[in-house]
Amino acid sequence: MNSLNKVIIIGNVTRDPEIKTTAQGTTVATFTVATNLRWTTQAGERRESTEYHSVVAWRRLAEICGQLLQKGSKVFIE
């Protein structure tokens, strides 16, 4: 049986994407996206938590990430 994982991340890029080219000429972009969760406890205390997600994009998508994304950019990743 096959399995499927689907992830949607909406957050902010934490640093400019790092663009590299493999020995075979394939473009690779790596960057990190921060997502924030805010909630109020039953006692009325406001809390916040930040998670960091490592993202790797390949080929043409990597080139587009390098052109359009920078630190602070809001991104939607599926």
Side-chain angles (χ1 to χ4, degrees), residues 2-15:
N2 292 331
S3 61
L4 172 69
N5 291 318
K6 183 174 182 176
V7 176
I8 295 176
I9 299 171
I10 302 172
N12 295 317
V13 177
T14 62
R15 59 181 167 82

Side-chain angles (χ1 to χ4, degrees), residues 4-76:
L4 172 69
N5 291 318
K6 183 174 182 176
V7 176
I8 295 176
I9 299 171
I10 302 172
N12 295 317
V13 177
T14 62
R15 59 181 167 82
D16 292 345
E18 185 176 330
I19 310 300
K20 293 183 178 180
T21 304
T22 66
Q24 295 77 23
T26 304
T27 305
V28 181
T30 57
F31 56 97
T32 303
V33 176
T35 57
N36 297 311
L37 176 63
R38 294 180 183 97
W39 72 95
T40 304
T41 65
Q42 288 182 343
E45 186 178 355
R46 294 184 59 101
R47 296 283 177 107
E48 182 174 336
S49 175
T50 303
E51 291 188 20
Y52 298 93
H53 311 273
S54 297
V55 180
V56 180
W58 294 87
R59 298 177 184 81
R60 180 70 182 126
L61 182 57
E63 296 170 12
I64 293 168
C65 288
Q67 294 169 359
L68 299 180
L69 298 180
Q70 61 187 11
K71 181 179 179 178
S73 296
K74 178 74 86 173
V75 293
F76 178 106

